[in-house]
Structures are given as C-alpha cells and as structure tokens.
Amino acid sequence: MKLLLSGRALTAGAVAVATLMAGGSVAGAEPAAGHPAESTAPASTAAAPDIPIGNVKAHLARLQSIATANGGNRAHGRPGYRASLDYVKAKLDAAGFTTTVQRFTASGRTGYNLIADWPGGDANQVVMAGSHLDSVSSGPGINDNGSGSAAVLETALAVARSGHRPAKHLRFAWWGAEELGLVGSRHYVGDLGSAGRAKISGYLNFDMIGSPNPGYFVYDDDPAIEKTFKDYFAGLGIATEIETEGDGRSDHAPFKNAGVPVGGLFSGADYRKTAAQAAKWGGTAGQPFDRCYHSSCDTTANIGDTALDRNSDAIAYAMWELSQ
Ligand code: TRP
Ligand code: CA
Ligand code: ZN
C-alpha cells in the first residue's frame, strides 16, 4: 500500500481508512491501543495491518545512531551489537513479549540471539520470523540487515498493538553473528533439538529488504510460504522473481537443513540489475541492487523506502495469513 503515514502508531481511524483502501472491511480493523481485542470480532480473522514505514525508519535511525556511537558498526562481539540488541529487546518487553537472550561463543567472543514469544496460540504450531541483527565490521549495516531487523521488530509491535491472537504461536528472532557464517541461527536450531524443531510450522527470513536499487525476490522454498508472499505482491501488481543470488546465504539455511519449512524476501545485494528487471521494477539497469553491500556507506542513506515499505507490509501479511 502506498498510504503516506507519519511515524506515529496508526490510530483506529487510520487503520479503518487503510483497510477500506485495501478493499477490506472496517469490521476487520485493529482496535486502538488500550482497547482490548476481546471487544471486537475474533482477532484471528482480522486483516493484517499496514506497517507504518515511518516506524520502521525510526528503528533504522536508532540502529544508525548506535553504530555511529560505537565505532561505525554493529558487528558481532562489538559494543554496537549488544546496544542494538538492547534497543530491540526494550521495545518488545514494553509491548508485552516474552523475550529470551540466548548466548553463544563465536571467534572467541560472546554472541547473542534475541527471541521474542507472543503469548498464546498453539505451542505445537510455531510460526517464526527472523532476521540477523549483526552488521559486518566495515559498516553500520543498515540495509544488511537493519532493514530486516527493523521490519520484523515493527511487525512484532503491530501484533501487540492490534491485540492479535492467532491460532498458531508467534515467535520473532534476531540473530547474532550471521556475518561470521550463520553462527547464531545455527546455534538456535541445534539447541532446539528434534522435538523443538518439529514444532516450528514455518520460518520466514528477512535479510536485506530495503535495497536502494531494489528487486523483489521471494525465496523458492516451502510452496505455501512462497505462495503467500507471491499473492501479496500480486495484489499490489508487482512482479516478483525467485531469489537466486545465493541460496543458503542467510539464517533460513539452518532451519531448511533441519527440515523446517522456510521462506523469505530479499531485495538484492551486489548483483547487478538487468535491463529486464529495471523495466519491471524501475531503478537503474547495470548497477548493483545495493552498491554499499558490506561497505561503510550502508547507512540510512542506503535505503529504498518503497521497497522497505512493501516488504514490511508483506511480512505482516504473511505472519497473519500463516498463523490462522
Ligand atoms: N547477509 C547475507 C550475506 O552477506 C546477504 C545476502 C546476500 C543474502 N545474498 C543473499 C541473503 C541471498 C539472502 C539471499 O550473504
Ligand atoms: Ca506500510
Ligand atoms: Zn551480509
């Protein structure tokens, strides 16, 4: 959706307008903060909210400030990583999530995953969304992967704001040490054991979703998850392609290898946009999707707002759809 919304939380009225513009019914609108979901129709059938891009960008601005104050990065084992995790955790705790910090060691330094559970739903059917929160040491990592981290955070906060009570259990994760070789997500999947892994109905990964010269790539993995994302973009009239830049290059790989259904979105890294891709998506042919990939220029200036907005809304859509 291309509604221009300010950085504030949506009011009930704005949700109703957004819902109408999306062709939905006002009855499905989320209650305003402070009004419990129980007073309306069953929340589990409510439409997914439009994620406010201003809120996502506010999280990115904070991650940028954290990097700037900590030597220019948010890398594993550096103070900028822990500060990033503390920022995300405080938002989730205030919103009513049950948060867990999971410690591990990589390259002789302590790393952390952050897991946030939304109380309720079937504990034997967990729908999970995750993103890596660490940057490389050469830059602040705002597209890679502040973008996924901020969008997953804002989706979690939207669950809390709407009082969403889906049939399945919702879990959100922020991984450490992805840039060292998927260390945090491997640790989490290993620690779950086979019984824990069997309870995860799906894992959705978001790594680089606000590229400045963006493509719209959907992971070609679990068919139901893939279809959910494709349906969302088809509804907006936006063509998607299958992600081919590097299967297994992000935190869905350990889940996939353990037999968990996975999916995800990606807006492109150092590969160049073709003429055909520029024709359908706009942007600049012959240039990388993200010319600042793993560089010091991966700052808040390195974000494509439209891609970040669409992908954030797609995350919410998928989490709502897949948890019914
Ligand atoms: N963090 C990933 C990496 O550095 C980013 C990435 C590159 C990626 N190519 C990808 C993520 C393809 C998903 C799919 O490798
Ligand atoms: Ca939005
Ligand atoms: Zn990376």
Side-chain angles (χ1 to χ4, degrees):
M1 249 173 285
K2 291 202 69 183
L3 281 180
L4 289 171
L5 296 168
S6 73
R8 292 172 289 108
L10 282 175
T11 63
V15 170
V17 170
T19 305
L20 279 173
M21 291 185 70
S25 72
V26 181
E30 281 70 34
H35 294 264
E38 300 80 59
S39 65
T40 66
S44 59
T45 58
D50 182 338
I51 298 299
I53 181 67
N55 292 9
V56 180
K57 291 196 75 179
H59 301 314
L60 290 180
R62 285 295 296 265
L63 294 175
Q64 176 70 63
S65 302
I66 286 167
T68 301
N70 289 283
N73 69 73
R74 303 180 301 99
H76 166 73
R78 312 289 186 92
Y81 181 73
R82 184 63 210 218
S84 298
L85 185 138
D86 290 343
Y87 169 72
V88 175
K89 182 176 184 297
K91 293 278 180 193
L92 294 161
D93 286 338
F97 283 84
T98 304
T99 58
T100 308
V101 176
Q102 187 179 49
R103 282 172 178 70
F104 58 87
T105 302
S107 300
R109 297 183 190 224
T110 303
Y112 310 92
N113 293 325
L114 173 63
I115 312 296
D117 284 280
W118 182 238
D122 183 351
N124 291 314
Q125 296 184 85
V126 180
V127 179
M128 234 183 135
S131 53
H132 77 87
L133 185 57
D134 63 314
S135 72
V136 290
S137 54
S138 51
I142 298 303
N143 188 34
D144 181 13
N145 184 32
S147 62
S149 297
V152 171
L153 171 59
E154 193 55 30
T155 300
L157 298 178
V159 167
R161 278 199 295 273
S162 67
H164 189 40
R165 297 289 171 192
K168 297 182 185 173
H169 180 77
L170 296 179
R171 182 174 297 157
F172 299 87
W174 291 263
W175 309 117
E178 186 271 353
E179 300 289 6
L180 279 67
L182 320 178
V183 178
S185 54
R186 283 185 209 278
H187 179 85
Y188 177 81
V189 171
D191 186 67
L192 272 181
S194 56
R197 292 193 284 268
K199 295 178 181 180
I200 303 182
S201 315
Y203 171 72
L204 281 53
N205 193 63
F206 305 100
D207 185 358
M208 304 185 71
I209 59 165
S211 304
N213 185 28
Y216 294 90
F217 298 101
V218 179
Y219 298 2
D220 182 22
D221 274 295
D222 178 69
I225 299 172
E226 184 179 340
K227 182 181 186 308
T228 304
F229 286 127
K230 285 180 169 172
D231 285 351
Y232 182 78
F233 286 102
L236 296 182
I238 296 164
T240 58
E241 288 187 13
I242 297 306
E243 188 283 304
T244 54
E245 196 165 331
D247 202 19
R249 273 180 72 175
S250 191
D251 298 296
H252 56 296
F255 288 87
K256 181 183 164 98
N257 294 341
V260 175
V262 304
L265 299 173
F266 178 56
S267 58
D270 47 357
Y271 283 28
R272 288 172 192 274
K273 185 178 276 188
T274 66
Q277 289 171 330
K280 61 183 167 187
W281 291 327
T284 312
Q287 290 297 313
F289 295 103
D290 180 355
R291 65 176 191 86
C292 292
Y293 175 62
H294 284 188
S295 302
S296 59
C297 62
D298 186 9
T299 65
T300 47
N302 189 46
I303 288 291
D305 287 4
T306 302
L308 182 66
D309 189 15
R310 289 169 173 169
N311 285 324
S312 299
D313 293 343
I315 297 172
Y317 178 81
M319 290 302 278
W320 257 253
E321 286 292 314
L322 296 170
S323 60
Q324 283 175 18

